[in-house]
Amino acid sequence: MAEAAWSTDTGEAVYRSRDPVRNLRVRVHLQRITSSNYLHYQPAAQPGKDLIDLATFRPPPTASGHRPDEDEEEEAVIGWQEKLFSQFEVDLYQNEAACQSPLDHQYRQEILKLEDSDGRKNRRIFTYTDSDRFTNLEEHCQKMTTTASEMPSFLVERMANVRRRRQDRRGMEGGILKSRIVTWEPSEEFVRNNHVINTPLQTMYIMADLGPYGKLGYKKYEHVLCTLKVDSNGVITVKPDFTGLKGPYRIETEGEKPELWKYTIDNVSSLAQPEEEEREQRVFKDLYGRHKEYLSSLVGTDFETTVPGALRLFVNGEVVSAQGYEYDNLYVHFFVELPTTNWSSPAFQQLSGITQTCATKSLGMDKVAYFSYPFTFEASFLHEDESAGALPEWPVLYCEVHSLDFWQRYRVEGYGAVVLPATPGAHTLRVSTWRPLELGTVAELRRFFIGGSLELEDLSYVRIPGTFKNCSPQEWE
């Protein structure tokens, strides 16, 4: 009976797991498709399509005329970051002169122990862990397309050395970073590591040596079967995806004697027992409960409540811009006037402010100065009269626009006032301004050269003077 068709979807698959990644187990089954069973393996619905010439399947160069069974088919169950040595690494690390790093010497000792015991269990299937040099080069030299004429862009070249797997971990002392907040002379490595916000990532490659019989240990015959990546958030990326119910993947080797291989990838991690799952749920419940109590302790229980019959006003504002004035280098002096009846503000509250001096830029026919100056304040109103018609007077925002000349002398450009909105939400207010004007050429010359101009002694006269008292029409007569 013919097997299922080949699986051509070799893209990445992403999984998320809360279990420790050390429990991950992957089973890889690798098999050579010979000239006889290859015809049996082809689906009946596609006769003659994508077939490999039978001449490519040459008989093995052995006395009996048959390859050993372990050379035709191999299966391995591999754990996370488990190191399986290839024939190339065995030949390389047996020579002590080839060992350059402490990791090389460690691999040499492990290989010598394997040779003293029963030897390697694996023949063609091997792995490259996160610490191997292959993982370094594979991440830096990975292509984005399948074309042979791919040219890396400027961004790809600049980002080639940004390694997501290994980031410098800065020490902490009392919650404060040891390193300085500002680095005046950053190195190239520092710039690369801090150019993007990365999640620490560990990588592992499951490889296969698909060399001809008797010629194992050559780099040109190495092929990547599966790439596993795990980050600190428990996200597992598998490329290609686990086989499952899909057909096996295929690899066609190149050269004088091309061969066809098939392989499958299965997740064989042990399932948690019901007792372990129940214990884990209790641990998580206890952890979340403790975290909830910790957050509650930070918030506290003593909330400041408003006095019955009182109104609290919170204002977060911004002086955005000023436009349409005669001179450059503008700044705004503003303050909030609270009505004298029943309004109050905290003693520490500052109800006035001065923006920075800002140069204007042309916007159409006008010159605009952009301040983007934030301010905030709060006030309280005690509503003593409960009648429906007793509406409170509302705070007023006064502003005074000045310009600064070359000699650091200021000129008054305009006065304005606006009543703050009585409804909550976001509001955009435009304040029209005016200034006292003294007629005559002498006054304009004095304003230009000396900076002197008419000013208001009491800014409340911009709107309604503070000394104004309401009177009846008879009193005006």
Side-chain angles (χ1 to χ4, degrees):
M1 180 178 179
E3 299 183 37
W6 300 107
S7 178
T8 59
D9 184 9
T10 57
E12 293 183 345
V14 180
Y15 301 90
R16 181 182 292 273
S17 175
R18 294 188 301 180
D19 295 331
V21 68
R22 63 176 179 270
N23 297 332
L24 178 63
R25 294 291 183 274
V26 178
R27 181 177 61 206
V28 179
H29 182 269
L30 178 68
Q31 182 180 0
R32 186 203 310 267
I33 305 299
T34 60
S35 58
S36 59
N37 62 10
Y38 176 69
L39 294 177
H40 175 74
Y41 185 80
Q42 285 295 322
Q46 299 178 351
K49 185 178 180 181
D50 295 335
L51 294 180
I52 295 179
D53 189 1
L54 295 181
T56 61
F57 299 101
R58 303 298 180 86
T62 58
S64 61
H66 297 281
R67 289 187 175 93
D69 293 339
E70 63 269 13
D71 193 66
E72 296 287 339
E73 185 176 1
E74 185 175 342
E75 182 176 292
V77 177
I78 304 171
W80 174 247
Q81 297 298 330
E82 180 181 353
K83 180 62 179 177
L84 299 181
F85 295 101
S86 65
Q87 186 62 45
F88 174 81
E89 291 176 315
V90 171
D91 298 338
L92 175 66
Y93 292 124
Q94 283 184 348
N95 183 10
E96 189 174 1
C99 300
Q100 301 177 358
S101 64
L103 183 63
D104 295 344
H105 289 281
Q106 177 184 344
Y107 283 170
R108 170 178 165 78
Q109 297 300 324
E110 294 179 4
I111 290 174
L112 294 178
K113 291 181 180 179
L114 287 176
E115 295 296 330
D116 294 339
S117 58
D118 298 335
R120 294 186 304 132
K121 301 298 183 183
N122 60 305
R123 296 286 298 170
R124 295 184 177 272
I125 299 176
F126 62 98
T127 62
Y128 285 126
T129 63
D130 189 71
S131 304
D132 290 330
R133 284 191 293 267
F134 175 85
T135 310
N136 239 346
L137 299 174
E138 186 69 14
E139 289 182 355
H140 290 176
C141 305
Q142 187 176 8
K143 291 186 176 182
M144 302 302 296
T145 64
T146 57
T147 177
S149 59
E150 176 184 342
M151 296 296 293
S153 64
F154 174 76
L155 179 60
V156 172
E157 292 178 349
R158 297 294 293 175
M159 296 293 292
N161 293 326
V162 178
R163 301 194 58 198
R164 297 186 62 197
R165 298 189 305 108
R166 296 175 185 172
Q167 295 189 109
D168 295 335
R169 295 187 176 181
R170 304 172 182 175
M172 300 286 288
E173 286 186 356
I176 303 176
L177 292 175
K178 289 182 179 180
S179 60
R180 293 172 298 176
I181 297 178
V182 178
T183 303
W184 297 106
E185 297 180 357
S187 61
E188 291 187 5
E189 182 180 0
F190 178 84
V191 173
R192 288 196 300 266
N193 292 336
N194 294 273
H195 184 69
V196 293
I197 300 177
N198 292 323
T199 302
L201 197 69
Q202 283 188 310
T203 310
M204 179 181 180
Y205 291 90
I206 301 178
M207 310 288 295
D209 187 345
L210 303 183
Y213 175 73
K215 293 185 178 181
L216 299 181
Y218 291 89
K219 279 287 187 179
K220 62 180 180 180
Y221 296 125
E222 291 185 2
H223 292 267
V224 179
L225 299 182
C226 180
T227 303
L228 300 173
K229 297 181 180 180
V230 179
D231 65 13
S232 58
N233 298 323
V235 177
I236 304 174
T237 305
V238 184
K239 181 182 181 180
D241 192 10
F242 298 121
T243 306
L245 300 177
K246 300 182 296 184
Y249 300 104
R250 63 186 291 175
I251 298 179
E252 296 181 18
T253 60
E254 299 177 355
E256 298 180 358
K257 299 179 181 179
E259 294 180 330
L260 179 64
W261 295 80
K262 73 170 184 178
Y263 69 96
T264 58
I265 309 170
D266 297 298
N267 179 17
V268 293
S269 304
S270 302
L271 298 178
Q273 299 298 325
E275 297 81 6
E276 295 179 356
E277 291 185 357
E278 184 179 356
R279 184 169 60 253
E280 184 180 8
Q281 292 296 329
R282 290 199 302 266
V283 171
F284 276 114
K285 184 177 180 180
D286 182 65
L287 176 62
Y288 294 150
R290 291 178 181 273
H291 187 63
K292 181 180 179 181
E293 294 177 0
Y294 171 71
L295 295 179
S296 300
S297 65
L298 293 180
V299 175
T301 56
D302 298 332
F303 288 97
E304 183 182 356
T305 58
T306 305
V307 179
L311 171 68
R312 298 194 68 178
L313 173 66
F314 295 90
V315 176
N316 295 314
E318 178 185 3
V319 181
V320 179
S321 62
Q323 70 179 53
Y325 294 100
E326 183 178 2
Y327 292 104
D328 200 350
N329 298 326
L330 302 177
Y331 68 92
V332 179
H333 177 209
F334 62 92
F335 69 93
V336 178
E337 182 188 43
L338 298 178
T340 56
T341 57
N342 303 328
W343 279 93
S344 62
S345 63
F348 62 87
Q349 184 69 64
Q350 187 174 0
L351 298 178
S352 63
I354 301 177
T355 68
Q356 75 279 13
T357 302
C358 184
T360 60
K361 61 181 297 184
S362 298
L363 183 64
M365 299 297 293
D366 290 334
K367 293 183 178 180
V368 185
Y370 293 98
F371 302 105
S372 299
Y373 184 88
F375 66 91
T376 180
F377 73 92
E378 64 174 282
S380 301
F381 173 77
L382 184 58
H383 195 72
E384 296 178 349
D385 191 353
E386 299 293 339
S387 62
L391 297 178
E393 297 182 40
W394 214 248
V396 180
L397 176 66
Y398 290 88
C399 59
E400 181 179 2
V401 184
H402 296 272
S403 63
L404 205 62
D405 64 7
F406 178 77
W407 303 103
Q408 300 299 308
R409 290 175 298 207
Y410 72 90
R411 293 178 291 258
V412 177
E413 296 292 335
Y415 297 98
V418 62
V419 180
L420 295 178
T423 57
H427 302 272
T428 301
L429 306 178
R430 296 182 178 272
V431 183
S432 300
T433 58
W434 61 273
R435 67 178 177 88
L437 182 62
E438 186 178 0
L439 302 179
T441 306
V442 177
E444 291 299 323
L445 291 175
R446 183 169 60 249
R447 170 178 166 81
F448 180 81
F449 288 103
I450 304 178
S453 59
L454 296 179
E455 300 181 26
L456 294 180
E457 183 177 354
D458 185 0
L459 291 184
S460 64
Y461 277 77
V462 175
R463 185 171 172 267
I464 299 177
T467 57
F468 176 76
K469 296 182 180 180
N470 192 10
C471 55
S472 60
Q474 290 79 9
E475 294 178 353
W476 281 94
E477 295 180 352

